[in-house]
Amino acid sequence: FGIPQRRLAGMLHSPTFLVGTEKQRGILDDFQRRDQHFSEEYQTNKPLCFSARSFQKTHPGKSKDHKDADATVASPMLLGVADGVSQLEAFGMDASELPNELLRSCELLGMSQLIPDQPVNPPYAYRGPVSLLKEAYEETESLGSTTVLLAILDNSTKIHGKIHPMVAVLTIGDCELLMLRRLEGCQSQLQAVFHTEMQRIDGNVQTPLQIARVDEWVDPDFDEELALEVIERGSAVHCVSAYEGDIIVLGSDGVFDNLFLDEVVKICNEAMVPPGPGTFVPTQPALLSQIATRLVEESHAKSRAGVGGVLPETPIGRGGKMDDTAVVVGEVVEWTQAHSEAWAQARGQHRWKAMATCGGTDSMGCLACNETARDVDDEEIDVRRHHLHIRPVQRHQRMQSSCDSEADDDRDRCVIV
């Protein structure tokens, strides 16, 4: 896929701005995308899920009175990043409330609809990313405005009657997603295979397409139906083939406005060195967390002058911008019996949220992922600017297998609604 590198000028300090109702309504069709990206490669007939970690931190140069308005979700079936519009703080709103509530709602729906082999009543079945986000928005109550990016793992697509997992990616605004894969064998470097595009009105870095709920004081023309219209008509949706070992990086504009895509790929490759031959073993969640942290730190470093007082180059000009910065780093892994048992246990104890934050800070964590990964503690992993140091621990063993398959589908369930 072609991967454009954006360049504008000047370091930015000002917030993301709310886009008015009539302005958004008039340009939705310009942003709409409905694409599918099938890979001819075919692997073992098995359901997949995400093992993921997130990290977020406001740029230290941003106002000290500002509250971080980014939100993330890292669950087995759904990953997400949302970036609240900080300008609304001037109207007395908490800009973080809507993005956090919206992603929590998406996570609940994703876990209830997408768990493999779980019986779901037809009225509540997964009907695609657009329907999921619409339902999630309708269940929220918070005022605010936010961009949103979702990656949803759908195991219902089949080729020749066999499972062909797909990642449904939905974008509204200027968060971005980058998918990496070892295209030249299991011992090759990770390469970019898919990348979303930002949705910015008139190309302005401060006016992304967004989902809102505001009162008459903020926008006299606001109609809540516009938010649903933005989701239906303005969202960019892509369905991409997913394989075990794929790496997915989601980030707010605070990341992708400051880091070039090849810098993101390089950071991932420095941390995730090519494995030796053998059976695939999932990456330790601690390492995914370290990669997410480094991506945020490297984004912030772009606003620090280097030799001779010269600011580093970024996609929007030297020095980038000082903003809220959030990253989710996920790996596609097999959904195993251990996952199913952990899910059943979590549901029985009404603790599914702990299981959902795969590799997160909840006490339960993703038991299945942790059981199949190598024993590497957080303290043993040190992702540096130019190298990864791991104390003597056996590295991940991975196997890349494939069989020939034609592109025709018996049943395409990566649905776009």
Side-chain angles (χ1 to χ4, degrees), residues 35-88:
D35 299 323
Q36 295 196 24
H37 307 266
F38 273 97
S39 171
E40 294 292 331
E41 182 182 8
Y42 192 75
Q43 293 189 330
T44 307
N45 178 29
K46 58 188 177 184
L48 302 175
C49 65
F50 296 120
S51 171
R53 284 281 184 98
S54 64
F55 182 76
Q56 65 186 81
K57 183 180 180 181
T58 300
H59 193 291
K62 200 165 184 177
S63 171
K64 303 301 181 184
D65 297 328
H66 165 77
K67 183 176 181 179
D68 188 348
D70 282 357
T72 63
V73 60
S75 66
M77 309 313 298
L78 185 145
L79 309 178
V81 173
D83 184 358
V85 175
S86 54
Q87 183 199 16
L88 292 176

Side-chain angles (χ1 to χ4, degrees), residues 192-402:
V193 295
F194 175 75
H195 171 235
T196 60
E197 296 180 353
M198 289 184 173
Q199 296 176 310
R200 284 174 166 167
I201 297 171
D202 299 327
N204 191 322
V205 298
Q206 292 171 274
T207 54
L209 192 66
Q210 52 203 250
I211 305 172
R213 181 185 290 110
V214 295
D215 55 27
E216 294 181 356
W217 185 41
V218 176
D219 182 358
D221 297 323
F222 178 74
D223 178 355
E224 192 158 311
E225 288 299 314
L226 173 65
L228 300 177
E229 196 174 344
V230 169
I231 297 170
E232 291 178 350
R233 291 179 47 210
S235 59
V237 176
H238 307 267
C239 288
V240 188
S241 295
Y243 297 100
E244 194 172 45
D246 284 352
I247 300 299
I248 299 179
V249 179
L250 298 81
S252 63
D253 60 314
V255 175
F256 285 98
D257 276 340
N258 283 11
L259 294 179
F260 292 103
L261 296 179
D262 58 359
E263 293 177 308
V264 176
V265 176
K266 181 181 178 183
I267 288 170
C268 291
N269 272 318
E270 288 177 352
M272 306 182 74
V273 297
T279 303
F280 172 83
V281 175
T283 301
Q284 262 288 333
L287 179 54
L288 299 176
S289 180
Q290 290 283 338
I291 296 170
T293 302
R294 184 181 169 195
L295 287 168
V296 170
E297 291 174 345
E298 294 289 343
S299 300
H300 293 176
K302 288 298 187 84
S303 62
R304 295 195 292 268
V307 178
V310 178
L311 290 167
E313 286 283 3
T314 77
I316 63 169
R318 289 191 177 276
K321 69 178 183 181
M322 302 178 183
D323 200 359
D324 297 336
T325 317
V327 174
V328 176
V329 178
E331 182 178 41
V332 177
V333 300
E334 180 182 1
W335 176 271
T336 66
Q337 182 62 32
H339 286 92
S340 296
E341 292 172 358
W343 165 244
Q345 179 184 0
R347 290 188 69 188
Q349 298 176 351
H350 303 286
R351 296 177 60 203
W352 80 270
K353 183 65 172 67
M355 187 267 186
T357 45
C358 183
T361 57
D362 295 282
S363 59
M364 184 174 180
C366 183
L367 300 178
C369 290
N370 289 327
E371 287 174 359
T372 55
R374 300 291 184 194
D375 291 330
V376 183
D377 295 332
D378 283 9
E379 295 77 25
E380 294 180 299
I381 302 174
D382 184 16
V383 181
R384 304 296 187 186
R385 175 178 287 269
H386 299 296
H387 70 281
L388 169 72
H389 169 71
I390 298 185
R391 296 173 187 169
V393 177
Q394 186 175 358
R395 290 298 301 156
H396 304 157
Q397 304 291 312
R398 305 183 182 206
M399 177 177 65
Q400 182 173 357
S401 62
S402 63

